[in-house]
PDB file of all heavy atoms in Angstrom:
ATOM      1  N   ALA A 706      -4.228  13.991  12.348  1.00 98.00           N
ATOM      2  CA  ALA A 706      -4.500  13.284  13.603  1.00 98.00           C
ATOM      3  C   ALA A 706      -5.689  13.869  14.348  1.00 98.00           C
ATOM      4  O   ALA A 706      -6.526  13.125  14.864  1.00 98.00           O
ATOM      5  CB  ALA A 706      -3.247  13.342  14.506  1.00 98.00           C
ATOM      6  N   ASN A 707      -5.792  15.204  14.329  1.00 98.00           N
ATOM      7  CA  ASN A 707      -6.881  15.819  15.105  1.00 98.00           C
ATOM      8  C   ASN A 707      -8.252  15.692  14.403  1.00 98.00           C
ATOM      9  O   ASN A 707      -9.221  16.240  14.848  1.00 98.00           O
ATOM     10  CB  ASN A 707      -6.556  17.288  15.441  1.00 98.00           C
ATOM     11  CG  ASN A 707      -6.291  18.083  14.185  1.00 98.00           C
ATOM     12  OD1 ASN A 707      -6.285  17.554  13.080  1.00 98.00           O
ATOM     13  ND2 ASN A 707      -6.080  19.377  14.354  1.00 98.00           N
TER      14      ASN A 707
ATOM     15  N   GLY B  75      15.673  20.730  21.460  1.00 97.00           N
ATOM     16  CA  GLY B  75      14.531  20.076  22.102  1.00 97.00           C
ATOM     17  C   GLY B  75      13.212  20.430  21.496  1.00 97.00           C
ATOM     18  O   GLY B  75      12.189  19.824  21.860  1.00 97.00           O
ATOM     19  N   VAL B  76      13.151  21.359  20.570  1.00 98.00           N
ATOM     20  CA  VAL B  76      11.873  21.785  19.996  1.00 98.00           C
ATOM     21  C   VAL B  76      11.645  21.069  18.661  1.00 98.00           C
ATOM     22  O   VAL B  76      12.502  21.081  17.797  1.00 98.00           O
ATOM     23  CB  VAL B  76      11.888  23.317  19.730  1.00 98.00           C
ATOM     24  CG1 VAL B  76      10.581  23.759  19.100  1.00 98.00           C
ATOM     25  CG2 VAL B  76      12.164  24.063  21.023  1.00 98.00           C
ATOM     26  N   PRO B  77      10.479  20.389  18.524  1.00 98.00           N
ATOM     27  CA  PRO B  77      10.251  19.695  17.261  1.00 98.00           C
ATOM     28  C   PRO B  77      10.181  20.699  16.105  1.00 98.00           C
ATOM     29  O   PRO B  77       9.453  21.685  16.186  1.00 98.00           O
ATOM     30  CB  PRO B  77       8.914  19.002  17.494  1.00 98.00           C
ATOM     31  CG  PRO B  77       8.235  19.725  18.633  1.00 98.00           C
ATOM     32  CD  PRO B  77       9.370  20.293  19.470  1.00 98.00           C
ATOM     33  N   MET B 128       9.618  11.618  16.891  1.00 98.00           N
ATOM     34  CA  MET B 128      10.302  12.816  17.356  1.00 98.00           C
ATOM     35  C   MET B 128       9.296  13.841  17.901  1.00 98.00           C
ATOM     36  O   MET B 128       9.544  14.467  18.940  1.00 98.00           O
ATOM     37  CB  MET B 128      11.142  13.420  16.227  1.00 98.00           C
ATOM     38  CG  MET B 128      12.311  12.576  15.785  1.00 98.00           C
ATOM     39  SD  MET B 128      13.404  11.962  17.099  1.00 98.00           S
ATOM     40  CE  MET B 128      14.267  13.487  17.521  1.00 98.00           C
ATOM     41  N   ARG B 129       8.166  13.999  17.231  1.00 98.00           N
ATOM     42  CA  ARG B 129       7.207  14.933  17.767  1.00 98.00           C
ATOM     43  C   ARG B 129       6.614  14.409  19.081  1.00 98.00           C
ATOM     44  O   ARG B 129       6.442  15.186  20.032  1.00 98.00           O
ATOM     45  CB  ARG B 129       6.065  15.210  16.746  1.00 98.00           C
ATOM     46  CG  ARG B 129       5.126  16.344  17.240  1.00 98.00           C
ATOM     47  CD  ARG B 129       4.237  16.912  16.141  1.00 98.00           C
ATOM     48  NE  ARG B 129       5.032  17.403  15.031  1.00 98.00           N
ATOM     49  CZ  ARG B 129       5.608  18.590  14.965  1.00 98.00           C
ATOM     50  NH1 ARG B 129       5.489  19.460  15.953  1.00 98.00           N
ATOM     51  NH2 ARG B 129       6.325  18.936  13.905  1.00 98.00           N
ATOM     52  N   ALA B 130       6.343  13.139  19.126  1.00 98.00           N
ATOM     53  CA  ALA B 130       5.737  12.574  20.364  1.00 98.00           C
ATOM     54  C   ALA B 130       6.737  12.708  21.546  1.00 98.00           C
ATOM     55  O   ALA B 130       6.327  12.935  22.699  1.00 98.00           O
ATOM     56  CB  ALA B 130       5.403  11.090  20.146  1.00 98.00           C
ATOM     57  N   ALA B 131       8.030  12.586  21.246  1.00 98.00           N
ATOM     58  CA  ALA B 131       9.007  12.725  22.299  1.00 98.00           C
ATOM     59  C   ALA B 131       8.973  14.147  22.920  1.00 98.00           C
ATOM     60  O   ALA B 131       9.137  14.323  24.114  1.00 98.00           O
ATOM     61  CB  ALA B 131      10.416  12.409  21.757  1.00 98.00           C
ATOM     62  N   ALA B 132       8.761  15.125  22.050  1.00 98.00           N
ATOM     63  CA  ALA B 132       8.646  16.490  22.556  1.00 98.00           C
ATOM     64  C   ALA B 132       7.402  16.669  23.375  1.00 98.00           C
ATOM     65  O   ALA B 132       7.394  17.371  24.394  1.00 98.00           O
ATOM     66  CB  ALA B 132       8.694  17.468  21.381  1.00 98.00           C
ATOM     67  N   LEU B 133       6.317  16.025  22.925  1.00 98.00           N
ATOM     68  CA  LEU B 133       5.056  16.067  23.676  1.00 98.00           C
ATOM     69  C   LEU B 133       5.266  15.545  25.103  1.00 98.00           C
ATOM     70  O   LEU B 133       4.844  16.186  26.088  1.00 98.00           O
ATOM     71  CB  LEU B 133       3.959  15.268  22.947  1.00 98.00           C
ATOM     72  CG  LEU B 133       2.704  14.987  23.748  1.00 98.00           C
ATOM     73  CD1 LEU B 133       1.981  16.287  24.143  1.00 98.00           C
ATOM     74  CD2 LEU B 133       1.734  14.104  22.948  1.00 98.00           C
ATOM     75  N   LEU B 134       5.906  14.417  25.210  1.00 98.00           N
ATOM     76  CA  LEU B 134       6.100  13.806  26.547  1.00 98.00           C
ATOM     77  C   LEU B 134       7.011  14.665  27.437  1.00 98.00           C
ATOM     78  O   LEU B 134       6.891  14.591  28.670  1.00 98.00           O
ATOM     79  CB  LEU B 134       6.615  12.371  26.427  1.00 98.00           C
ATOM     80  CG  LEU B 134       5.634  11.338  25.872  1.00 98.00           C
ATOM     81  CD1 LEU B 134       6.210   9.951  25.937  1.00 98.00           C
ATOM     82  CD2 LEU B 134       4.313  11.402  26.599  1.00 98.00           C
ATOM     83  N   GLU B 135       7.886  15.446  26.821  1.00 97.00           N
ATOM     84  CA  GLU B 135       8.716  16.363  27.604  1.00 97.00           C
ATOM     85  C   GLU B 135       7.816  17.433  28.246  1.00 97.00           C
ATOM     86  O   GLU B 135       8.107  17.912  29.344  1.00 97.00           O
ATOM     87  CB  GLU B 135       9.758  17.014  26.717  1.00 97.00           C
ATOM     88  CG  GLU B 135      10.879  16.104  26.305  1.00 97.00           C
ATOM     89  CD  GLU B 135      11.745  15.655  27.491  1.00 97.00           C
ATOM     90  OE1 GLU B 135      12.017  16.495  28.369  1.00 97.00           O
ATOM     91  OE2 GLU B 135      12.110  14.465  27.565  1.00 97.00           O
ATOM     92  N   GLU B 136       6.761  17.822  27.530  1.00 97.00           N
ATOM     93  CA  GLU B 136       5.907  18.883  28.019  1.00 97.00           C
ATOM     94  C   GLU B 136       4.785  18.370  28.912  1.00 97.00           C
ATOM     95  O   GLU B 136       4.265  19.093  29.764  1.00 97.00           O
ATOM     96  CB  GLU B 136       5.231  19.588  26.819  1.00 97.00           C
ATOM     97  CG  GLU B 136       6.166  20.387  25.974  1.00 97.00           C
ATOM     98  CD  GLU B 136       5.470  20.951  24.731  1.00 97.00           C
ATOM     99  OE1 GLU B 136       4.208  21.131  24.761  1.00 97.00           O
ATOM    100  OE2 GLU B 136       6.158  21.190  23.744  1.00 97.00           O
ATOM    101  N   ASN B 137       4.330  17.141  28.649  1.00 97.00           N
ATOM    102  CA  ASN B 137       3.132  16.637  29.296  1.00 97.00           C
ATOM    103  C   ASN B 137       3.338  15.142  29.510  1.00 97.00           C
ATOM    104  O   ASN B 137       3.344  14.364  28.554  1.00 97.00           O
ATOM    105  CB  ASN B 137       1.947  16.919  28.328  1.00 97.00           C
ATOM    106  CG  ASN B 137       0.620  16.450  28.898  1.00 97.00           C
ATOM    107  OD1 ASN B 137       0.572  15.664  29.871  1.00 97.00           O
ATOM    108  ND2 ASN B 137      -0.460  16.891  28.305  1.00 97.00           N
ATOM    109  N   ARG B 142      -6.099  11.674  25.124  1.00 98.00           N
ATOM    110  CA  ARG B 142      -6.242  11.389  23.709  1.00 98.00           C
ATOM    111  C   ARG B 142      -6.294  12.685  22.864  1.00 98.00           C
ATOM    112  O   ARG B 142      -5.590  12.839  21.885  1.00 98.00           O
ATOM    113  CB  ARG B 142      -7.487  10.533  23.467  1.00 98.00           C
ATOM    114  CG  ARG B 142      -7.844  10.319  22.006  1.00 98.00           C
ATOM    115  CD  ARG B 142      -9.191   9.552  21.814  1.00 98.00           C
ATOM    116  NE  ARG B 142      -9.678   9.708  20.484  1.00 98.00           N
ATOM    117  CZ  ARG B 142      -9.277   9.012  19.431  1.00 98.00           C
ATOM    118  NH1 ARG B 142      -8.392   8.054  19.577  1.00 98.00           N
ATOM    119  NH2 ARG B 142      -9.735   9.236  18.213  1.00 98.00           N
ATOM    120  N   ALA B 143      -7.183  13.592  23.251  1.00 98.00           N
ATOM    121  CA  ALA B 143      -7.364  14.794  22.432  1.00 98.00           C
ATOM    122  C   ALA B 143      -6.107  15.657  22.425  1.00 98.00           C
ATOM    123  O   ALA B 143      -5.762  16.261  21.397  1.00 98.00           O
ATOM    124  CB  ALA B 143      -8.534  15.614  22.960  1.00 98.00           C
ATOM    125  N   GLU B 144      -5.389  15.680  23.550  1.00 98.00           N
ATOM    126  CA  GLU B 144      -4.124  16.438  23.604  1.00 98.00           C
ATOM    127  C   GLU B 144      -3.088  15.822  22.641  1.00 98.00           C
ATOM    128  O   GLU B 144      -2.372  16.548  21.974  1.00 98.00           O
ATOM    129  CB  GLU B 144      -3.574  16.463  25.035  1.00 98.00           C
ATOM    130  CG  GLU B 144      -4.437  17.270  25.995  1.00 98.00           C
ATOM    131  CD  GLU B 144      -3.947  17.141  27.433  1.00 98.00           C
ATOM    132  OE1 GLU B 144      -3.550  16.029  27.843  1.00 98.00           O
ATOM    133  OE2 GLU B 144      -4.002  18.152  28.140  1.00 98.00           O
ATOM    134  N   ILE B 145      -3.075  14.523  22.632  1.00 98.00           N
ATOM    135  CA  ILE B 145      -2.105  13.851  21.759  1.00 98.00           C
ATOM    136  C   ILE B 145      -2.441  14.133  20.293  1.00 98.00           C
ATOM    137  O   ILE B 145      -1.573  14.531  19.493  1.00 98.00           O
ATOM    138  CB  ILE B 145      -2.102  12.332  22.013  1.00 98.00           C
ATOM    139  CG1 ILE B 145      -1.594  12.064  23.436  1.00 98.00           C
ATOM    140  CG2 ILE B 145      -1.220  11.596  20.982  1.00 98.00           C
ATOM    141  CD1 ILE B 145      -1.808  10.605  23.866  1.00 98.00           C
ATOM    142  N   LEU B 146      -3.708  13.982  19.937  1.00 98.00           N
ATOM    143  CA  LEU B 146      -4.098  14.179  18.542  1.00 98.00           C
ATOM    144  C   LEU B 146      -3.854  15.620  18.089  1.00 98.00           C
ATOM    145  O   LEU B 146      -3.376  15.854  16.973  1.00 98.00           O
ATOM    146  CB  LEU B 146      -5.580  13.797  18.364  1.00 98.00           C
ATOM    147  CG  LEU B 146      -5.878  12.316  18.506  1.00 98.00           C
ATOM    148  CD1 LEU B 146      -7.371  12.061  18.441  1.00 98.00           C
ATOM    149  CD2 LEU B 146      -5.153  11.483  17.463  1.00 98.00           C
ATOM    150  N   ASP B 147      -4.091  16.580  18.992  1.00 98.00           N
ATOM    151  CA  ASP B 147      -3.821  17.959  18.617  1.00 98.00           C
ATOM    152  C   ASP B 147      -2.331  18.227  18.422  1.00 98.00           C
ATOM    153  O   ASP B 147      -1.898  18.784  17.444  1.00 98.00           O
ATOM    154  CB  ASP B 147      -4.323  18.888  19.707  1.00 98.00           C
ATOM    155  CG  ASP B 147      -5.737  19.345  19.416  1.00 98.00           C
ATOM    156  OD1 ASP B 147      -6.157  19.239  18.261  1.00 98.00           O
ATOM    157  OD2 ASP B 147      -6.427  19.819  20.366  1.00 98.00           O
ATOM    158  N   TYR B 148      -1.558  17.705  19.387  1.00 98.00           N
ATOM    159  CA  TYR B 148      -0.120  17.950  19.349  1.00 98.00           C
ATOM    160  C   TYR B 148       0.493  17.288  18.119  1.00 98.00           C
ATOM    161  O   TYR B 148       1.434  17.832  17.511  1.00 98.00           O
ATOM    162  CB  TYR B 148       0.534  17.422  20.629  1.00 98.00           C
ATOM    163  CG  TYR B 148       1.950  17.903  20.830  1.00 98.00           C
ATOM    164  CD1 TYR B 148       2.185  19.077  21.575  1.00 98.00           C
ATOM    165  CD2 TYR B 148       3.026  17.258  20.271  1.00 98.00           C
ATOM    166  CE1 TYR B 148       3.492  19.536  21.761  1.00 98.00           C
ATOM    167  CE2 TYR B 148       4.330  17.690  20.427  1.00 98.00           C
ATOM    168  CZ  TYR B 148       4.541  18.850  21.195  1.00 98.00           C
ATOM    169  OH  TYR B 148       5.836  19.305  21.354  1.00 98.00           O
ATOM    170  N   MET B 149      -0.008  16.106  17.765  1.00 98.00           N
ATOM    171  CA  MET B 149       0.569  15.345  16.657  1.00 98.00           C
ATOM    172  C   MET B 149       0.046  15.760  15.280  1.00 98.00           C
ATOM    173  O   MET B 149       0.524  15.247  14.282  1.00 98.00           O
ATOM    174  CB  MET B 149       0.250  13.835  16.862  1.00 98.00           C
ATOM    175  CG  MET B 149       0.851  13.204  18.131  1.00 98.00           C
ATOM    176  SD  MET B 149       2.681  13.343  18.250  1.00 98.00           S
ATOM    177  CE  MET B 149       3.143  12.292  16.873  1.00 98.00           C
ATOM    178  N   SER B 150      -0.891  16.713  15.230  1.00 98.00           N
ATOM    179  CA  SER B 150      -1.551  16.981  13.945  1.00 98.00           C
ATOM    180  C   SER B 150      -0.622  17.582  12.877  1.00 98.00           C
ATOM    181  O   SER B 150      -0.986  17.552  11.715  1.00 98.00           O
ATOM    182  CB  SER B 150      -2.824  17.753  14.144  1.00 98.00           C
ATOM    183  OG  SER B 150      -2.550  18.994  14.703  1.00 98.00           O
ATOM    184  N   PRO B 151       0.535  18.191  13.204  1.00 98.00           N
ATOM    185  CA  PRO B 151       1.399  18.595  12.066  1.00 98.00           C
ATOM    186  C   PRO B 151       1.965  17.421  11.277  1.00 98.00           C
ATOM    187  O   PRO B 151       2.491  17.610  10.180  1.00 98.00           O
ATOM    188  CB  PRO B 151       2.553  19.340  12.786  1.00 98.00           C
ATOM    189  CG  PRO B 151       1.978  19.802  14.079  1.00 98.00           C
ATOM    190  CD  PRO B 151       1.035  18.689  14.494  1.00 98.00           C
ATOM    191  N   ASN B 152       1.889  16.221  11.842  1.00 98.00           N
ATOM    192  CA  ASN B 152       2.528  15.070  11.183  1.00 98.00           C
ATOM    193  C   ASN B 152       1.503  14.170  10.507  1.00 98.00           C
ATOM    194  O   ASN B 152       0.651  13.576  11.177  1.00 98.00           O
ATOM    195  CB  ASN B 152       3.308  14.249  12.246  1.00 98.00           C
ATOM    196  CG  ASN B 152       4.566  14.937  12.716  1.00 98.00           C
ATOM    197  OD1 ASN B 152       4.504  16.142  13.047  1.00 98.00           O
ATOM    198  ND2 ASN B 152       5.679  14.257  12.685  1.00 98.00           N
TER     199      ASN B 152
END
Side-chain angles (χ1 to χ4, degrees):
Chain A
N707 57 357
Chain B
V76 179
M128 294 309 287
R129 187 164 303 277
L133 168 62
L134 289 186
E135 288 294 319
E136 291 175 25
N137 181 344
R142 173 184 163 83
E144 291 173 322
I145 296 169
L146 292 174
D147 268 341
Y148 194 93
M149 297 303 293
S150 63
N152 288 49

